[in-house]
Amino acid sequence: MKFISLIFFLSLLSPEEPSTIIQFTYTSNHQMYSLLKRTAAKCSHISQVYSIGRSVEGRDLLVIEFSNNPGQHELLEPEIKLLGNMHGNEVLGRQLLVYLAQYLCSEYMLGNQRIQTLINTTRIHILASMNPDGYELAASEGHLLNGWTNGRTNAENIDLNRNFPDLTSVLYRNRRSRHYRTDHIPIPDAYWFGKVAPETYAVMKWIRSLPFVQSASLHGGELVVSYPFDYSRHPQEERMFSPTPDEQAFKQLARTYADAHATMSNNDTERCGASFYRTRGIINGALWYSFAGGMSDFNYLHTNCLEITVELGCDKFPSEAELYPEWKRNKEALLSFMESVHRGIKGVVKDMDGNGIKGATIAVRGIRKDVTTAEDGDYWRLLNPGTHILTATAKGYSKVSKRIYLPHNMDKAGRVDFVLKKAGVERQEKPWWWNYFSQSGISPPTWLLRNI
Ligand SMILES: *[C@@H]1O[C@H](CO)[C@@H](O)[C@H](O)[C@H]1NC(C)=O
Ligand SMILES: *[C@@H]1O[C@H](CO)[C@@H](O)[C@H](O)[C@H]1NC(C)=O
Ligand SMILES: [Zn+2]
């Protein structure tokens, strides 16, 4: 693998149609870091890199971020993350994310409207390698020699996708009690007595520190998108449909990737061994095979974030010649997935003085999973089209409910704001929404049917 010094240049042959030129080779850890740093430097107005921690052997867990305001959360701007190489020997996702970073930077500069719109409205975080130590081992063997498991774990032999707090078991243990929770389940103290890999710890801290709305973890070994729960609701049953309350939203998210991928949703029964033709390339994780301590279940049960697992293909370590065709197969899927965060609803929960309320909860009737508001009172809720009843609550305030209708053809998230009164305060003469609609100078949206 030669060192690549010139990553971007415009095609001189067709100046009217400039395009991003990417070297479709494997990148060592060292090359990956320098490539990501140079990409962020080239696009410093929309990108930066930051480290979320170090691996066992001291390698950086380096994130590249894209946003029209890098380093800052903006009110109502959704945040997403993409992770690769959690299993060190599943290397395709890592490369695709390195290419994606270069593509986003370069296309933004070239004036690609779609990419500019995406980056102007979304904060995107990309961790190309969560397990650089495992990669080092797998890459030392290379495409031909690397088997099914060498380099899968971190340098302490820990499988990172079994190392997260098992909140799914907590949920299953409690589900017979009336007030069991399916969201924001705390991490049990006992978890910290076990071995927590530094890579797992770094990612947990990261997951908790930003208001992520959706996420994709890229793996290899199959060609399918799986979604939580990954742990079977009857732990003795290793293959059992174990849906979350957000089954519909997860299916939609998984469909978005699978349908936009060149071949994932095709009806061919002979793939890597398993057959997913009935569901056209998507599957509930536990129905495929059950495991505890996974990252996606943790995202769902501990935070607001919905994470899917993308299995990119049968070959965990494809030949270098496959990298460009794989980029072509996955590019539209990656873009569609990122754009799909602008679905459902979003809004701000405020008090009567117009201050955002942090930590307020938004409940959707019939879906036992509340989301909470971020620092400035903003929230995002992936929801499928239809009629929904939402309730916002916060400690010390009286709750407010709204019925909304989300049409099928919305191309961005519906805006639903809430103003909460301090509990016990008398009702004002103007309706609660007066300030919002009079100040913002807009008429009530048509999909807001009525307030209850
Ligand atoms: C994105 O934002 C930049 C900076 O504000 C602006 O120049 C550009 O026109 C925007 N692009 C799109 C497609 O909205
Ligand atoms: C997919 O292929 C299988 C087996 O060839 C067939 O039984 C099934 O009807 C096909 N499904 C669709 C949706 O075409
Ligand atoms: Zn994997």
Side-chain angles (χ1 to χ4, degrees):
M1 278 175 279
K2 56 185 183 299
F3 185 76
I4 295 107
S5 59
L6 184 62
I7 304 306
F8 307 100
F9 53 89
L10 305 185
S11 166
L12 297 172
L13 297 175
S14 53
E16 67 282 359
E17 248 182 78
S19 61
T20 304
I21 306 293
I22 299 169
Q23 294 286 339
F24 290 96
T25 54
Y26 279 113
T27 45
S28 68
N29 282 316
H30 178 75
Q31 288 168 339
M32 175 182 70
Y33 296 138
S34 97
L35 192 46
L36 294 176
K37 284 174 186 167
R38 274 182 287 139
T39 301
K42 177 187 157 92
C43 278
S44 59
H45 59 309
I46 52 153
S47 183
Q48 64 160 5
V49 292
Y50 61 92
S51 171
I52 58 168
R54 286 184 178 277
S55 67
V56 171
E57 292 175 350
R59 296 188 175 88
D60 250 338
L61 302 174
L62 194 71
V63 174
I64 185 164
E65 173 196 336
F66 289 92
S67 150
N68 58 346
N69 221 333
Q72 274 167 44
H73 175 73
E74 281 175 87
L75 187 74
L76 288 165
E77 187 171 278
E79 307 213 14
I80 63 176
K81 59 184 157 74
L82 295 155
L83 297 87
N85 204 211
M86 179 185 206
H87 292 138
N89 62 333
E90 297 169 14
V91 301
L92 179 56
R94 162 187 165 118
Q95 287 308 138
L96 294 181
L97 292 180
V98 170
Y99 306 150
L100 179 66
Q102 297 172 73
Y103 179 82
L104 291 177
C105 166
S106 190
E107 290 296 307
Y108 191 101
M109 305 280 262
L110 292 169
N112 179 326
Q113 293 292 296
R114 183 183 183 189
I115 300 304
Q116 286 198 352
T117 302
L118 175 68
I119 291 175
N120 285 0
T121 58
T122 321
R123 194 172 174 208
I124 303 159
H125 305 260
I126 299 171
L127 175 62
S129 179
M130 179 176 170
N131 185 0
D133 296 352
Y135 179 82
E136 200 73 17
L137 178 62
S140 72
E141 298 181 347
H143 152 65
L144 286 175
L145 293 177
N146 183 246
W148 199 246
T149 54
N150 267 1
R152 175 184 175 92
T153 61
N154 79 344
E156 293 167 321
N157 214 20
I158 295 173
D159 186 330
L160 302 178
N161 209 20
R162 307 290 184 275
N163 193 230
F164 282 78
D166 173 17
L167 303 181
T168 327
S169 290
V170 175
L171 163 69
Y172 292 156
R173 265 201 307 279
N174 294 337
R175 71 190 146 180
R176 278 194 189 80
S177 75
R178 232 160 68 92
H179 297 292
Y180 76 93
R181 304 171 65 160
T182 314
D183 57 84
H184 303 91
I185 298 177
I187 298 169
D189 292 339
Y191 172 74
W192 301 108
F193 296 121
K195 184 88 188 138
V196 181
E199 296 89 351
T200 311
Y201 184 75
V203 167
M204 278 170 56
K205 248 176 66 181
W206 185 43
I207 291 173
R208 286 165 52 99
S209 68
L210 292 167
F212 291 117
V213 181
Q214 71 183 41
S215 170
S217 176
L218 308 187
H219 290 249
E222 253 302 344
L223 186 62
V224 70
V225 177
S226 78
Y227 57 89
F229 289 123
D230 278 324
Y231 192 45
S232 169
R233 61 198 163 98
H234 291 298
Q236 281 75 19
E237 295 272 352
E238 282 180 16
R239 287 163 186 229
M240 169 164 264
F241 179 54
S242 305
T244 67
D246 275 297
E247 168 71 8
Q248 295 312 318
F250 266 124
K251 259 167 91 168
Q252 173 76 13
L253 206 52
R255 277 256 67 83
T256 298
Y257 197 99
D259 287 352
H261 184 279
T263 56
M264 199 178 275
S265 62
N266 284 3
N267 184 14
D268 47 357
T269 52
E270 300 290 321
R271 286 222 281 236
C272 319
S275 165
F276 301 104
Y277 76 83
R278 277 189 199 83
T279 49
R280 289 182 297 124
I282 68 171
I283 193 166
N284 169 258
L287 182 57
W288 182 21
Y289 68 95
S290 167
F291 65 92
M295 180 164 68
S296 298
D297 282 7
F298 176 77
N299 269 269
Y300 186 73
L301 291 174
H302 193 65
T303 75
N304 295 326
C305 185
L306 270 61
E307 182 175 271
I308 58 169
T309 300
V310 181
E311 300 282 346
L312 292 162
C314 309
D315 201 347
K316 293 181 176 183
F317 205 134
S319 74
E320 208 157 55
E322 276 300 303
L323 294 176
Y324 178 54
E326 284 297 351
W327 165 251
K328 283 199 292 185
R329 285 180 200 120
N330 285 281
K331 181 180 126 185
E332 180 54 38
L334 290 164
L335 297 181
S336 299
F337 173 79
M338 293 191 285
E339 290 168 340
S340 74
V341 74
H342 298 281
R343 269 201 296 237
I345 57 164
K346 65 177 182 179
V348 185
V349 181
K350 293 178 184 169
D351 64 17
M352 301 291 283
D353 301 323
N355 303 312
I357 303 174
K358 178 192 177 183
T361 65
I362 312 294
V364 182
R365 188 178 291 175
I367 304 180
R368 201 184 183 108
K369 154 86 177 183
D370 298 349
V371 298
T372 52
T373 54
E375 207 66 37
D376 303 317
D378 41 354
Y379 77 92
W380 303 260
R381 184 68 172 89
L382 297 175
L383 274 180
N384 283 16
T387 301
H388 299 282
I389 295 174
L390 315 171
T391 302
T393 52
K395 235 196 175 81
Y397 295 86
S398 48
K399 61 180 166 195
V400 172
S401 293
K402 296 186 177 196
R403 181 201 293 265
I404 62 143
Y405 172 71
L406 274 176
H408 277 267
N409 53 2
M410 297 244 310
D411 58 356
K412 58 181 182 185
R415 175 90 184 257
V416 184
D417 288 357
F418 294 87
V419 177
L420 304 188
K421 277 193 302 180
K422 277 249 156 47
V425 174
E426 269 181 50
R427 198 185 161 77
Q428 288 200 339
E429 35 180 43
K430 291 200 175 98
W432 61 267
W433 45 263
W434 179 267
N435 280 334
Y436 168 60
F437 285 124
S438 54
Q439 278 169 14
S440 53
I442 53 171
S443 50
T446 50
W447 39 266
L448 182 64
L449 288 187
R450 70 184 176 90
N451 304 308
I452 358 178

